[in-house]
Amino acid sequence: MSSLASRLWYAPGNSSKMYKVDNCPSRRGRTGRVGAWAWERAMKKDEAHRLLCERGWLAGQPEEFQRYVLDHAVLRTYRNGEIVYAIGDSPRGVHALVDGLAKLTYDTRDGNELLLKIFSPGDWFGMISLVDALPLPHNARVCSTATVLTLPQSDFEQIVSRRPGYLRNFSLIMTDNMRHAMERLVDLGTLTPAQRLAKLLLRVLAPVSVDGRATAYQEVNISQWEMSSLISASRATVNKLVKEWSEQGWIDYRYRKLRILDPVPLAEMIDD
C-alpha cells in the first residue's frame, strides 16, 4: 500500500468528506465498521494510483515524479452533477478523473451552457490557472458518480519550488489539451459528421483498464445537443446518426443515456 493510501480514508456515510490520518486502520485486528470503511477507501486509493500510472498524462512521467504527485494528492468522490470548480474560482489544484465522467463547460451570455469537452478516466484538468494565477475560465462538473484525484495548489507550488524542472512535466497537461483542440480542428476539415461522432464516442466511452483488466464500455449521460456541440454538426444530423446506429445495434441510447454496444463498425467508419 502506498504511503498516502495508509493515511487517507473517508468518513462512513459521507463520500464527499475527506480525512487524512496518520494511521489508517488495517484489516488485521480491526473488524468494526470504521476499520472496514478505512480499508476499502485505502484500497480504492491504490486502484486510483494504478490507473493514473497506466493511463493519461501521468503514465508518461518518470516514476519519481509519479510518486511525488500521488503522495501529495487527495481523493474525493463526487455525486452526479456536482461541480469540481466553477468559472471565476481561484485555482485550487490540478485534478485527474479516476472513474466516472466529467464535463468542461462555459456559461454563455444568454444563459446557456456550452459543452467544451468530456473527460474520461486518466484525463487531467484545471492546470491553466496554476500557471497564470488567473481565475478559472470554465466549469468542471461531473456527469455521473465520479472519483477525482486532486493535487492541491500548495503542494503543486511546493513541488515546483523544490524541483523547478518539474514545471515542464506539469506543462505537458496543457500541451496535451492543446493538441487535442488542434486535432478537433483538423477533424472538422477532414472527417464527416458521422466519423467525428464515432471518434467522440469511442474516445469518451472507452473501457477503463487497470492491471490489464478492462471494464465494459461506460455509459454517459449526454444529450443530442451536447453531441452536436462537440462535433460541430447540426442536432438533426446527430439525431439521424443516433437513430440509425441504435437500429443497427451499435449503440444504446435512451433517456439521454448512451452506451456503445458494438465498437467495431464505429472504428471501421473512422478509418474509411
Side-chain angles (χ1 to χ4, degrees), residues 45-57:
K45 184 69 176 184
D46 279 350
E47 292 171 6
H49 283 199
R50 286 194 294 269
L51 182 139
L52 294 176
C53 287
E54 293 177 1
R55 180 170 178 161
W57 161 75

Side-chain angles (χ1 to χ4, degrees), residues 12-266:
N14 188 349
S15 61
S16 65
K17 191 169 185 179
M18 297 181 296
Y19 289 89
K20 276 188 177 180
V21 295
D22 292 331
N23 295 295
C24 177
S26 64
R27 173 178 284 178
R28 183 172 55 188
R30 294 296 298 270
T31 58
R33 185 183 178 195
V34 172
W37 272 80
W39 176 262
E40 178 183 350
R41 293 302 183 180
M43 295 306 293
K44 187 169 185 178
K45 184 69 176 184
D46 279 350
E47 292 171 6
H49 283 199
R50 286 194 294 269
L51 182 139
L52 294 176
C53 287
E54 293 177 1
R55 180 170 178 161
W57 161 75
L58 194 62
Q61 305 309 309
E63 184 177 347
E64 180 186 11
F65 179 83
Q66 291 178 345
R67 185 165 57 251
Y68 207 119
V69 170
L70 294 173
D71 282 350
H72 290 80
V74 292
L75 199 66
R76 174 178 172 181
T77 298
Y78 290 81
R79 298 181 181 88
N80 185 18
E82 276 195 279
I83 293 177
V84 180
Y85 59 77
I87 292 176
D89 283 353
S90 299
R92 302 175 186 170
V94 60
H95 314 276
L97 187 65
V98 176
D99 60 41
L101 292 168
K103 298 177 181 179
L104 194 68
T105 66
Y106 180 79
D107 298 330
T108 63
R109 292 183 179 179
D110 56 6
N112 292 319
E113 188 176 69
L114 179 64
L115 180 60
L116 303 175
K117 185 176 181 179
I118 295 181
F119 295 115
S120 54
D123 287 340
W124 290 75
F125 52 98
M127 181 67 200
I128 187 170
S129 289
L130 288 183
V131 175
D132 61 19
L134 296 176
L136 287 153
H138 42 247
N139 306 305
R141 182 196 306 271
V142 303
C143 46
S144 67
T145 298
T147 305
V148 176
L149 180 138
T150 297
L151 177 68
Q153 180 183 12
S154 58
D155 291 293
F156 164 79
E157 292 175 346
Q158 184 179 61
I159 290 173
V160 297
S161 65
R162 292 179 177 178
R163 299 286 295 272
Y166 278 169
L167 185 58
R168 181 182 181 279
N169 300 75
F170 283 109
S171 69
L172 295 177
I173 297 175
M174 293 188 296
T175 59
D176 284 348
N177 289 333
M178 290 176 63
R179 286 180 179 275
H180 174 71
M182 293 300 296
E183 182 181 350
R184 285 180 62 182
L185 290 176
V186 172
D187 289 348
L188 186 60
T190 59
L191 300 181
T192 66
Q195 289 174 313
R196 297 200 298 272
L197 181 59
K199 188 174 182 177
L200 169 69
L201 298 184
L202 288 173
R203 181 186 65 82
V204 171
L205 305 181
V208 177
S209 175
V210 177
D211 289 345
R213 305 188 308 276
T215 63
Y217 274 85
Q218 300 184 82
E219 181 180 80
V220 61
N221 189 347
I222 187 170
S223 69
Q224 292 187 15
W225 179 86
E226 290 172 324
M227 284 186 272
S228 66
S229 175
L230 286 170
I231 67 169
S232 299
S234 68
R235 183 176 176 182
T237 297
V238 170
N239 180 273
K240 180 175 180 292
L241 291 171
V242 167
K243 183 177 180 181
E244 289 178 355
W245 295 355
S246 296
E247 292 174 350
Q248 293 168 335
W250 299 355
I251 65 173
D252 179 41
Y253 185 67
R254 63 185 74 185
Y255 307 114
R256 292 177 50 135
K257 295 185 182 296
L258 190 148
R259 174 177 292 159
I260 294 177
L261 301 178
D262 187 357
V264 174
L266 296 176

